[in-house]
Amino acid sequence: MPAIIDKIADALHLHKTAFDSKVTVIFVLGGPGAGKGTQCARLVQDFGFCHLSAGDLLRAEQHREGSEYGQLIQTCIKEGTIVPMEVTVKLLKNAMAAALAEHRSGEGWADGRGRFLIDGFPRKMDQAEMFEHDVAKATAVLFFSTTEEVLLQRLLERGKTSGREDDNAESIKKRFNTYKDQTMPVIEHYEKLGKVIEIDSSESIDEVHAKTKSAVAKLL
Ligand code: C5P
Ligand code: MG
């Protein structure tokens, strides 16, 4: 949002999100194993994004000493269910504030601004609503799509070394169900708003990256 709109909103006492015009936010969605994290790492190199994975932030919070949410997060991750939105939105908001406080250099970070890839979020409609109301508006949604067979193969392969408690056949099945029931409606919502960029992520990392990079370049 241009600065002038912020000023008008201030004058009229209209609702503003925490970061408003300061940030560019791209949500990154796709089934578990679609390659979200891998592609985000590439986009960090290409465009200087701050990459925040909701799942990684939840795992860090789960293991943080003194966290009141540790047990809750562990159970949700194992069962492939969605952690209550307040927890995840708060972690993301804090991480964004911390990144902005670093006053990074580089394109997109001048004058207190920042650009963010929010990976694996929003997984459920309530998360989307809360984030866009309280934190910032999303510019676009990158949607990495592929078949369930490809996802399953990748997750089982990753499970050999990831050490993740949810990369096993039983948890994967539950995660697929949550994805279909809760996350697909989020993608459909943003599709209606014309904000979804769908990328077939069945191909190699390099091929998917080439398509993703050119799509994101057009957004910035
Ligand atoms: O994205 P990732 O596969 O790392 O997420 C792991 C788990 O973290 C999910 O299955 C879910 O239990 C939880 N999660 C969540 N809300 C998000 C992202 C992840 O509840 N937005
Ligand atoms: Mg991930």
Side-chain angles (χ1 to χ4, degrees):
M1 210 193 293
I4 181 73
I5 297 185
D6 274 359
K7 287 194 186 129
I8 294 167
D10 269 346
L12 298 173
H13 303 286
L14 294 178
H15 173 79
K16 289 205 304 177
T17 56
F19 301 119
D20 275 315
S21 62
K22 288 200 160 36
V23 296
T24 300
V25 166
I26 299 178
F27 291 149
V28 183
L29 290 175
K36 302 184 291 292
T38 305
Q39 294 300 328
C40 283
R42 296 283 186 104
L43 295 173
V44 168
Q45 299 296 321
D46 296 332
F47 302 109
F49 280 102
C50 171
H51 169 213
L52 297 174
S53 155
D56 287 351
L57 288 171
L58 287 166
R59 280 182 285 275
E61 177 66 18
Q62 179 194 330
H63 295 113
R64 187 175 64 83
E65 200 160 327
S67 168
E68 55 184 312
Y69 305 119
Q71 190 59 53
L72 170 73
I73 294 171
Q74 182 178 24
T75 307
C76 289
I77 288 183
K78 189 103 197 289
E79 294 302 314
T81 54
I82 306 289
V83 174
M85 60 174 170
E86 293 82 1
V87 177
T88 314
V89 172
K90 190 164 133 190
L91 291 171
L92 285 168
K93 189 174 170 180
N94 289 346
M96 288 173 71
L100 289 168
E102 288 170 15
H103 298 291
R104 299 181 179 198
S105 56
E107 211 192 323
W109 292 88
D111 309 320
R113 287 180 295 118
R115 47 173 67 157
F116 294 87
L117 292 170
I118 309 287
D119 162 9
F121 182 96
R123 289 278 236 284
K124 191 176 169 185
M125 231 15 249
D126 66 357
Q127 293 182 343
E129 283 159 3
M130 187 177 184
F131 185 95
E132 292 217 72
H133 186 263
D134 293 350
V135 183
K137 300 271 177 239
T139 301
V141 178
L142 278 181
F143 170 37
F144 292 108
S145 62
T146 183
T147 63
E148 221 167 85
E149 289 73 34
V150 170
L151 297 177
L152 181 63
Q153 279 316 310
R154 288 182 185 168
L155 290 173
L156 291 175
E157 192 55 37
R158 185 173 82 182
K160 290 177 189 167
T161 55
S162 70
R164 278 181 54 158
E165 284 176 81
D166 58 352
D167 283 344
N168 58 77
E170 202 183 319
S171 291
I172 290 169
K173 206 168 147 208
K174 292 175 181 168
R175 290 159 74 196
F176 283 170
N177 286 335
T178 300
Y179 174 69
K180 277 182 274 195
D181 295 346
Q182 319 262 35
T183 309
M184 279 313 294
V186 176
I187 295 166
E188 282 156 18
H189 165 77
Y190 285 107
E191 238 152 30
K192 285 194 202 113
L193 299 177
K195 289 192 173 184
V196 174
I197 299 164
E198 183 171 352
I199 293 165
D200 180 0
S201 67
S202 317
E203 294 160 11
S204 73
I205 292 172
D206 285 341
E207 283 166 306
V208 176
H209 171 235
K211 286 188 280 185
T212 307
K213 185 177 176 179
S214 77
V216 172
K218 290 184 196 131
L219 292 172
L220 297 173

